[in-house]
Every structure is written in C-alpha cells, then in structure tokens.
Amino acid sequence: MNKQEVAQVLEWFSEMGVSDILNTDPVRPSNKQISSLAELKEAMAKVDISIKHCATNMVFGTGNEKADILLLGEAPGAEEDKQGLPFVGQSGQLLDKVLAAIGLDRTKVYITNILPWRPPGNRTPNTEEVALFRPYVLKHISLINPKVVVCLGGTSTKALLQTTDGIMKLHGRWTMMEGISAKIMPTFHPAYLLRSPSQKREFWRDFLLVREEISRNN
Ligand code: URA
C-alpha cells in the first residue's frame, strides 16, 4: 500500500466513525524488543493460548545460559507441568543418562521446548501452536547463542526446520538453517526411546556426533 492508499483507508475509517484500530495480534510483541531471557519469559507468559489455561506452570527453559549445546524438546509433560522445569520426568532421566555418558550434565547444557505449556493429555502440539511459538523459540536460541542445537524428536525438528521429513530420515545428520548460526542435530525424543529401546544405540550415536563437534570447537 502506498502513502495515498493508506490515507484513503484512514479517511474511510474516520467516515465510518472508527476511532481506534485494534492490534490484530496483541499477544505477540515484536521479537526485536526482546533482548534478554527475562524479557522473553515475560513476553511468552503473556501469550494468550488455550493450553495455558489447562496447565499448572509455564515451563520456560533451564540450564547454562552460556551453553554450547541447546536441547530443544516438544512440550512439557505432566511432571514438567507440576515442577515448571523441562525434562524432569522419565524422559528427562533417560536424557540425563545420555548426557552423562558423553561427559555432560544439566549445568553444561541449556534445555527448552517448542511449547512452554503442557498440551492437555500430553497431545502433540498442533500446527497453530507451533506457528505461534516458533518466533519465540528462534529468539530463545539466539539469546543463548549455542554452537549446537539438538532437536529432540520429530515435533521439534519439524517445527524448527520447517520440514515435513521424518526423524528417521533426519536424525544423525548435521543441518543448518537461515537465521541460526548453530549447527542443528535432529535426534529421537527420549520418550520414544522408552517405548522403542532398540533405537537407543542410534540416539547415542547422534549424541557422539554432538560431543565430537563440541570438542572440535573447544
Ligand atoms: N517431553 C518434552 O518434549 N519436553 C519436556 O520438557 C518433557 C517431556
């Protein structure tokens, strides 16, 4: 729209008696205004989304804010919702084991999710929810500025990379994307491994690649 067209629209609104123009996206402040994790958390807490009303706690992120590795999960489960922290349930215990096996623990990584609230009944986040939170996830990653992002599971991989390819195809291969300087490693979700323990070996291999990458850069 050029200036003249904008003026015409405003004149038309004025003739109609419109005195206020509603912000059509009032819950989504400009990402540019956010320059710290505290501001990001505050902005995310204001997002008006139905799942928030069924959740007990918002689960933002935890760990080392200067970490080289950021782990990106899907959404909080029941235990995470109760405690307000990511990966503190059964999946988290498996994750801790694999981190320990490559010489890491939660003080050396940063962990967050695509969604900060638990979807009712632990359902998979839907397309609208993912689209709403993706800009916040990108901001979260840029504030931590890790060398590596590990996407845990198909949902976080698809959400971040905006791909329809499945995790079976993508896991274990480094990927890059515009706007993020970190290398991205898609791997399995620990909850999937609890159901399909035979894939644990692949999960472990993917994390070995992460360790290799980090040691090369340090
Ligand atoms: N599953 C996730 O994807 N994230 C959590 O925080 C817990 C379980």
Side-chain angles (χ1 to χ4, degrees):
M1 230 188 256
N2 62 32
K3 267 189 188 166
Q4 199 183 355
E5 286 165 334
V6 172
Q8 278 167 0
V9 171
L10 289 175
E11 196 183 336
W12 183 77
F13 275 150
S14 156
E15 279 167 11
M16 296 276 292
V18 175
S19 57
D20 288 303
I21 299 189
L22 288 176
N23 180 353
T24 52
D25 197 1
V27 293
R28 210 164 165 190
S30 160
N31 253 343
K32 291 201 189 90
Q33 296 160 358
I34 298 171
S35 56
S36 68
L37 288 171
E39 283 170 10
L40 179 66
K41 188 173 179 182
E42 195 184 326
M44 284 167 64
K46 285 187 189 144
V47 174
D48 193 14
I49 183 170
S50 61
I51 51 169
K52 169 183 181 171
H53 305 293
C54 314
T56 309
N57 284 301
M58 175 170 144
V59 178
F60 178 67
T62 189
N64 186 337
E65 296 175 6
K66 293 192 170 67
D68 284 341
I69 303 176
L70 182 146
L71 305 175
L72 182 63
E74 178 178 315
E79 198 51 40
E80 289 77 18
D81 180 47
K82 215 186 280 174
Q83 297 191 33
L85 290 168
F87 284 99
V88 287
Q90 262 194 308
S91 301
Q93 285 161 20
L94 177 56
L95 189 59
D96 286 341
K97 279 188 196 151
V98 105
L99 287 178
I102 59 165
L104 295 173
D105 59 38
R106 288 185 187 230
T107 64
K108 300 196 184 93
V109 299
Y110 188 86
I111 311 182
T112 187
N113 284 305
I114 297 290
L115 295 189
W117 286 288
R118 179 191 185 216
N122 286 351
R123 67 161 168 74
T124 306
N126 65 35
T127 316
E128 290 75 31
E129 290 160 351
V130 168
L132 184 61
F133 276 98
R134 191 171 182 275
Y136 294 98
V137 172
L138 296 180
K139 191 76 204 184
H140 215 144
I141 295 172
S142 81
L143 288 171
I144 300 294
N145 196 23
K147 293 195 174 103
V148 166
V149 174
V150 180
C151 289
L152 298 167
T155 302
S156 71
T157 301
K158 284 179 183 165
L160 186 66
L161 300 177
Q162 296 193 296
T163 176
T164 51
D165 286 345
I167 195 66
M168 287 294 177
K169 179 170 171 191
L170 296 175
H171 89 92
R173 288 201 264 157
W174 290 111
T175 309
M176 299 292 291
M177 63 171 272
E178 220 185 297
I180 293 187
S181 57
K183 288 176 91 171
I184 300 163
M185 173 58 72
T187 190
F188 300 102
H189 193 286
Y192 167 71
L193 299 172
L194 292 171
R195 296 190 301 272
S196 308
S198 62
Q199 298 289 351
K200 279 187 191 164
R201 185 191 296 245
E202 296 291 313
F203 187 58
W204 161 242
R205 278 196 193 144
D206 297 348
F207 269 92
L208 283 181
L209 294 172
V210 170
R211 184 179 69 180
E212 211 177 276
E213 179 65 26
I214 294 301
S215 358
R216 206 194 349 254
N217 280 292
N218 281 327

